[in-house]
């Protein structure tokens, strides 16, 4: 059973600009949601989840196609080399688009900040009603991507990866869970909800395959074990 948690008394990271206190009328919010779904999800209907990953069978095939290679060095890595969150439309950046997409009944102010809504974190099953209690997780972490091949990409390519709304690479989850994950791969960390492991492995492989990123031996073994049990 999902539990609705009260807002924790932590200080969220400050937003780059102040937000007006007023809300749009309901009809305007609905119009914005419709426009966002059309413009930002490339014609896909609104959804309370990331784009679906490939099937377990396809993920197993994709995993077999990935290059197995010892993980590279983190030398030279910086999150700044993966520019995010990029503007998507009007005042909305990638984080705000994902919050709108992954939540239910989300209302946004004139600067696109989520002022209300409900979000269920698939990683741990927790439900939140305050946007600052959520992080937008990069399923394949930026540092992991860097060590798996992205160090040779252009900045524009890394920005596309860090803001990818087309593949299952971004998801709104409980902030503390995301922070516990850090830059670990599936051999080192999996979502607390065991029922989500198969879906998570499919997401991971889908993203790595699309971007032609490498896997190391332990990572491939862990993913293979999960996918074989799907």
């Amino acid at each position: 059973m999902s539990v609705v948690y009260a807002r924790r008394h932590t200080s969220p990271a400050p937003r780059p600009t102040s937000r007006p206190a007023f809300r749009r009328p309901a009809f305007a919010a609905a119009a914005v949601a419709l426009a966002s779904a059309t413009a930002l999800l490339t014609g896909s209907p609104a959804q309370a989840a990331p784009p679906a990953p490939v099937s377990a069978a396809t993920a197993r095939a994709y995993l077999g196609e990935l290059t197995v290679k010892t993980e590279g060095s983190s030398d030279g890595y910086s999150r700044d080399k993966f520019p995010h969150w990029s503007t998507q439309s009007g005042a909305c950046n990638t984080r705000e688009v994902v919050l709108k997409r992954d939540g239910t009944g989300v209302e946004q102010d004139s600067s696109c900040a989520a002022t209300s809504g409900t979000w269920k974190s698939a990683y741990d099953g927790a439900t939140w009603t305050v946007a600052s209690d959520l992080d937008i997780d990069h399923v394949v972490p930026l540092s992991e991507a860097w060590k798996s091949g992205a160090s040779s990409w252009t900045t524009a390519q890394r920005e596309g990866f860090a803001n990818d709304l087309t593949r299952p690479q971004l998801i709104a989850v409980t902030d503390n869970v995301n922070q516990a994950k850090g830059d670990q791969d599936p051999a080192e960390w999996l979502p607390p909800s065991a029922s989500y492991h198969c879906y998570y492995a499919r997401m991971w492989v889908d993203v790595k395959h699309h971007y032609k990123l490498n896997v190391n031996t332990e990572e491939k073994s862990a993913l293979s074990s999960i996918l074989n049990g799907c």
Side-chain angles (χ1 to χ4, degrees):
M1 178 181 296
S2 297
V3 178
V4 177
Y5 291 80
R7 182 176 182 177
R8 292 162 294 168
H9 297 288
T10 58
S11 298
R15 298 185 60 83
T17 56
S18 60
R19 302 290 191 182
F22 65 90
R23 294 183 186 174
R24 289 188 176 118
F27 67 85
V32 170
L34 179 60
S36 296
T38 301
L40 304 177
L41 299 179
T42 61
S44 300
Q47 53 188 341
V54 295
S55 68
T58 300
R60 286 191 288 270
Y62 280 4
L63 182 59
E65 296 171 5
L66 295 178
T67 299
V68 180
K69 189 175 181 180
T70 301
E71 194 167 82
S73 170
S74 60
D75 290 351
Y77 168 73
S78 167
R79 288 179 66 85
D80 292 340
K81 293 184 177 180
F82 292 80
H84 64 288
W85 302 110
S86 300
T87 299
Q88 293 293 334
S89 179
C92 300
N93 66 29
T94 307
R95 171 182 165 84
E96 291 151 348
V97 170
V98 175
L99 285 172
K100 178 73 174 178
R101 181 198 69 189
D102 289 4
T104 302
V106 179
E107 293 186 12
Q108 297 169 305
D109 65 20
S110 61
S111 295
C112 211
T115 57
S116 64
T118 302
W119 294 267
K120 182 173 181 179
S121 169
Y123 285 3
D124 59 339
T127 300
W128 303 99
T129 57
V130 179
S132 60
D133 284 324
L134 296 141
D135 279 353
I136 307 304
D137 180 41
H138 290 96
V139 172
V140 176
L142 305 182
S143 175
E144 167 69 21
W146 177 270
K147 293 178 288 188
S148 301
S151 60
S152 65
W153 295 352
T154 65
T155 299
Q157 288 173 316
R158 289 192 287 264
E159 181 175 11
F161 176 83
N163 296 275
D164 190 349
L165 294 165
T166 304
R167 277 151 288 276
Q169 164 65 348
L170 300 172
I171 183 171
V173 297
T174 303
D175 53 3
N176 290 347
V177 173
N178 181 51
Q179 291 153 24
K181 171 184 173 179
D183 64 355
Q184 299 178 92
D185 69 34
E188 303 162 318
W189 184 93
L190 288 168
S193 293
S195 61
Y196 201 70
H197 289 182
C198 179
Y199 201 86
Y200 182 78
R202 289 162 54 198
M203 295 166 77
W204 184 282
V205 173
D206 194 351
V207 172
K208 278 219 162 179
H209 185 269
H210 176 80
Y211 286 99
K212 296 179 172 58
L213 294 170
N214 305 322
V215 290
N216 62 44
T217 302
E218 296 78 12
E219 176 188 354
K220 182 175 181 179
S221 178
L223 289 164
S224 179
S225 177
I226 296 167
L227 292 171
N228 285 339
C230 290

